[in-house]
Amino acid sequence: MRLTLRALISHGRVARKMGLGPESRINMLRNLLTGLVRHERIETTTARADEVRFYAEKLVDYAKRGDTDEKAMKMASFWLTEKDLVPKLFNVLAPRFETHSKGYTRMARLPNRDNLDRAKMAVLEYKGNPFPPLYPVKKDNELTLINQLLRGYREDRAQQLATKA
Amino acid sequence: MINLTALVQSLRRSLLHIESRLLQAAGLDRQLAPALAVNGPSLLPQLDKEEEVEQQQHHPGLSDSILWMAAPKKRRTIEVNRTRRRSDSKLLKVKNNIEPCPECGHLKQKHVMCGFCYAKVCRETALIRQQIKEMEGGPLRAPTVETVVLYEGETPSEQDKDKRIVERSRKRPAWFSQ
């Protein structure tokens, strides 16, 4: 038998408290999500980015259902305050993530903000955006000695296989 | 012989009389009881005013309450002070998760992005966004097609045919590969 009130214990509560209350929190997240869908890469505090991530992925899941789905359209029109982003969501983001099952966003921590508050910052982006990547893909330098030797070895092997066959 | 009892009684009477006179003179014969007791309301307004005046004067008076306030008993010696000020929780912690960024060589924390490299990326994205803004020409005109960024001397490839092309008038930077 429960001896304590459920309201006083927060075991397992995933959603953070933000802003002035639950409604204010949802409004704040809605603004962040609209900005993310428009610009595809935003920079905020770590806590806000973490909260928006969940909603961003859920929104893409709803968008995958399609334009004609009643619930999906209602969700999109609620969460995107700028209505020119609703067709962008259904025609650009949903086809982009067709092959992905989950993990449409990428979050990376940034150095603390330069203001007096030194807040923990994070950058949140949808994968596949047109901007330069946050983590540049490092290509091996072909002109190093080891790579040149390996290249020579691979060419010799290919030659030997060609002569054998 | 018969007058002996009368004599003793008269002596006794006279002694009691003398005793009562002595007590009267000393003032100890009065009994501590009121001559008349009347049941009625208290008729002493003057005493209440005195009590109020006493209470008003008593509030800010800390002369009695000094006894229950906390105060240090002895001077804390410099040794005790030093051990408190330099205890482990008050010393600065050494960070061992700082390493140089492999790209630019600036220092960064292991779980955090390099500030210099991110600033570089930010500058380029700002220029791209400026180009996009000029292309769109106004607010709330997000296109319903994907966007691709092409630098000087690049032609759109097979994948880029139905995408919006954003031209940037500079050479492609080395860290922005396709």
Side-chain angles (χ1 to χ4, degrees):
Chain A
M1 191 191 86
R2 274 193 79 91
L3 296 167
T4 47
L5 292 167
R6 199 186 171 272
L8 299 172
I9 295 176
S10 80
H11 289 169
R13 309 275 177 111
V14 287
R16 288 178 179 79
K17 289 188 195 179
M18 268 164 40
L20 309 164
E23 204 184 316
S24 157
R25 171 181 167 270
I26 292 285
N27 288 339
M28 211 192 287
L29 291 173
R30 195 166 39 171
N31 286 338
L32 281 165
L33 191 53
T34 308
L36 177 64
V37 170
R38 176 175 285 285
H39 298 114
E40 301 198 24
R41 185 184 281 176
I42 55 171
E43 189 185 304
T44 51
T45 57
T46 315
R48 286 178 196 175
D50 200 38
E51 291 286 306
V52 166
R53 217 174 166 194
F54 169 80
Y55 290 97
E57 309 219 332
K58 273 274 181 306
L59 188 67
V60 171
D61 285 328
Y62 269 108
K64 277 188 182 176
R65 287 198 201 179
D67 220 343
T68 47
D69 197 57
E70 183 61 49
K71 184 87 196 275
M73 189 46 87
K74 272 191 184 170
M75 278 287 172
S77 66
F78 173 78
W79 279 98
L80 300 170
T81 52
E82 289 157 15
K83 301 305 168 192
D84 63 313
L85 295 172
V86 172
K88 179 181 174 179
L89 175 73
F90 284 107
N91 300 328
V92 174
L93 293 179
R96 194 199 279 181
F97 299 122
E98 246 170 337
T99 49
H100 296 64
S101 69
K102 55 178 182 175
Y104 317 116
T105 54
R106 189 182 287 127
M107 189 171 101
R109 254 200 78 181
L110 296 173
N112 289 357
R113 210 195 257 156
D114 290 324
N115 288 1
L116 186 66
D117 60 12
R118 307 297 294 175
K120 270 187 184 180
M121 298 297 276
V123 62
L124 184 65
E125 61 167 15
Y126 272 122
K127 290 181 185 172
N129 61 72
F131 301 121
L134 291 171
Y135 294 105
V137 178
K138 214 173 169 188
K139 279 192 197 147
D140 289 325
N141 192 3
E142 261 293 313
L143 302 168
T144 54
L145 180 64
I146 291 175
N147 282 342
Q148 286 285 301
L149 291 170
L150 282 169
R151 189 177 150 205
Y153 173 73
R154 275 189 222 114
E155 280 171 3
D156 288 340
R157 284 283 296 186
Q159 227 176 23
Q160 279 173 10
L161 286 167
T163 49
K164 267 188 188 173
Chain B
M1 289 283 287
I2 303 159
N3 281 346
L4 231 144
T5 50
L7 190 70
V8 165
Q9 271 181 10
S10 64
L11 272 169
R12 203 171 141 261
R13 260 184 258 123
S14 58
L15 276 166
L16 284 168
H17 189 72
I18 290 161
E19 204 185 60
S20 67
R21 274 299 179 104
L22 280 167
L23 280 169
Q24 221 176 31
L28 297 164
D29 60 343
R30 258 169 275 165
Q31 304 292 321
L32 298 167
L36 173 66
V38 174
N39 188 16
S42 57
L43 317 155
L44 305 164
Q46 289 171 340
L47 266 167
D48 288 336
K49 274 188 202 164
E50 280 172 28
E51 275 169 21
E52 273 173 26
V53 165
E54 271 175 34
Q55 275 166 9
Q56 274 161 16
Q57 278 174 353
H58 204 68
H59 281 307
L62 282 167
S63 52
D64 304 334
S65 48
I66 277 174
L67 292 167
W68 52 260
M69 275 212 164
K73 195 73 181 174
K74 288 249 149 229
R75 179 207 155 104
R76 278 166 154 184
T77 57
I78 188 64
E79 294 92 359
V80 164
N81 279 340
R82 276 201 199 113
T83 44
R84 184 186 67 255
R85 285 169 196 161
R86 298 177 193 184
S87 73
D88 194 46
S89 62
K90 299 196 186 172
L91 294 175
L92 290 173
K93 305 281 176 299
V94 173
K95 284 193 179 140
N96 56 4
N97 53 1
I98 304 174
E99 53 169 26
C101 166
E103 308 288 313
C104 59
H106 285 80
L107 292 172
K108 72 181 216 33
Q109 283 196 300
K110 283 183 187 158
H111 58 291
V112 174
M113 270 193 75
C114 172
F116 187 80
C117 299
Y118 179 68
K120 198 170 62 179
V121 166
C122 256
R123 239 173 282 131
E124 188 58 33
T125 48
L127 292 168
I128 294 168
R129 279 189 184 143
Q130 216 173 50
Q131 192 71 30
I132 288 170
K133 193 171 152 189
E134 280 165 34
M135 278 177 76
E136 286 180 2
L140 306 178
R141 283 182 212 186
T144 53
V145 289
E146 291 262 14
T147 313
V148 81
V149 181
L150 293 176
Y151 287 89
E152 239 165 43
E154 284 173 17
T155 51
S157 69
E158 265 302 305
Q159 298 157 348
D160 311 335
K161 9 181 230 193
D162 35 300
K163 292 187 191 174
R164 162 177 77 157
I165 293 164
V166 176
E167 306 262 313
R168 280 277 297 126
S169 53
R170 58 157 282 183
K171 194 183 75 149
R172 180 167 281 269
W175 39 269
F176 187 6
S177 62
Q178 292 199 301

